[in-house]
Amino acid sequence: MNLQEAINKRRAFYSLVPATINKELIDELASAASLAPSCYNNQPWRFVFVYEPDRLSELKKALAKGNEWALKGSMIIAVLSKEKDDCVLKNRIYHQFDTGMATALLLLKATELGLVAHPIAGYDEPTVHEVCNIPDEYTVITLIIVGKKDDHTHDNLTDWQKQSDQQRPPRKPLDEFAFHNVFV
Ligand SMILES: Cc1cc2nc3c(=O)[nH]c(=O)nc-3n(C[C@H](O)[C@H](O)[C@H](O)COP(=O)(O)O)c2cc1C
């Protein structure tokens, strides 16, 4: 799969079926993330790959209302970073930016491997800290729900989620966010 195909294929799908999780897969995902650029090569990103059944069940208790679809995930990746691990240049605070870039590469790698990797912000952060033994100074920026796409749209989804599985949510036209030479 070339890069453009992976960009096109990456989707935050809701209808998931189990995926096989093993060390080789986790190493491939982590390796892709590790090649992201970062300020001074600080590599502030941290990922906790949660797949052991008991801990995965505990972590799923952190899911917010509306994210029940994520109960079908075979693995949840907690994505974290802390400010002290990366550049702070006046009002520019880079740890979350750099971790976001690493996360994007991880999502594309998962796509290439035939997986769904769906990032979410809807979770109870203290529960994630507790279940994953994450020190307080780290911010849990996102959880990534990993599974395989089910060909059939699941019945228990909201109408919005069903629609999203059928068709990618629309994007802004380029001229709303891509400017030539000067802003607007
Ligand atoms: C930071 C972030 C938070 C998100 N939070 C949620 C969430 O809590 N629940 C959910 O179902 N999807 C969540 N999403 C997925 C987006 O809804 C999805 O990426 C967007 O609708 C575009 O769809 P696409 O990724 O399939 O192109 C989140 C995505 C990001 C990047």
Side-chain angles (χ1 to χ4, degrees):
M1 186 182 291
N2 70 30
L3 177 61
Q4 189 60 53
E5 286 170 339
I7 291 170
N8 291 345
K9 278 211 157 124
R10 185 217 56 78
R11 285 292 323 276
F13 285 118
Y14 290 95
S15 302
L16 302 182
V17 288
T20 304
I21 308 296
N22 53 38
K23 183 177 182 309
E24 189 190 5
L25 167 68
I26 292 167
D27 286 352
E28 282 194 85
L29 296 176
S31 296
S34 79
L35 295 182
S38 60
C39 190
Y40 278 99
N41 197 27
N42 279 325
Q43 303 167 67
W45 45 79
R46 301 289 182 269
F47 300 96
V48 183
F49 296 86
V50 180
Y51 55 89
E52 185 274 320
D54 289 346
R55 200 171 300 265
L56 183 60
S57 296
E58 283 301 301
L59 186 55
K60 285 176 177 174
K61 292 180 182 165
L63 295 171
K65 196 167 157 25
N67 279 335
E68 292 82 1
W69 58 270
L71 294 169
K72 298 257 188 233
S74 301
M75 174 164 70
I76 298 179
I77 309 169
V79 179
L80 16 144
S81 68
K82 65 182 193 314
E83 188 173 319
K84 270 196 261 170
D85 282 347
D86 207 355
C87 302
V88 178
L89 304 173
K90 297 193 175 161
N91 65 334
R92 289 177 277 134
I93 301 166
Y94 281 100
H95 67 111
Q96 295 198 358
F97 177 79
D98 290 351
T99 300
M101 288 197 287
T103 300
L105 297 189
L106 185 154
L107 298 182
L108 290 174
K109 187 68 197 179
T111 304
E112 187 194 37
L113 295 172
L115 297 169
V116 174
H118 184 148
I120 63 167
Y123 51 84
D124 180 61
E125 192 180 352
T127 303
V128 181
H129 273 265
E130 191 184 323
V131 172
C132 299
N133 194 31
I134 296 166
D136 287 347
E137 64 264 34
Y138 285 92
T139 301
V140 181
I141 304 164
T142 188
L143 296 181
I144 303 171
I145 313 303
V146 179
K148 282 192 86 128
K149 167 90 168 68
D150 196 343
D151 293 336
H152 305 286
T153 303
H154 290 184
D155 287 338
N156 61 345
L157 301 178
T158 65
D159 288 346
W160 192 92
Q161 291 167 344
K162 285 180 187 163
Q163 167 71 18
S164 179
D165 268 4
Q166 302 296 335
Q167 196 172 18
R168 190 196 284 276
R171 295 310 206 251
K172 293 182 162 92
L174 299 190
D175 62 5
E176 268 191 42
F177 67 90
F179 308 119
H180 290 235
N181 303 307
V182 289
F183 188 84
V184 186

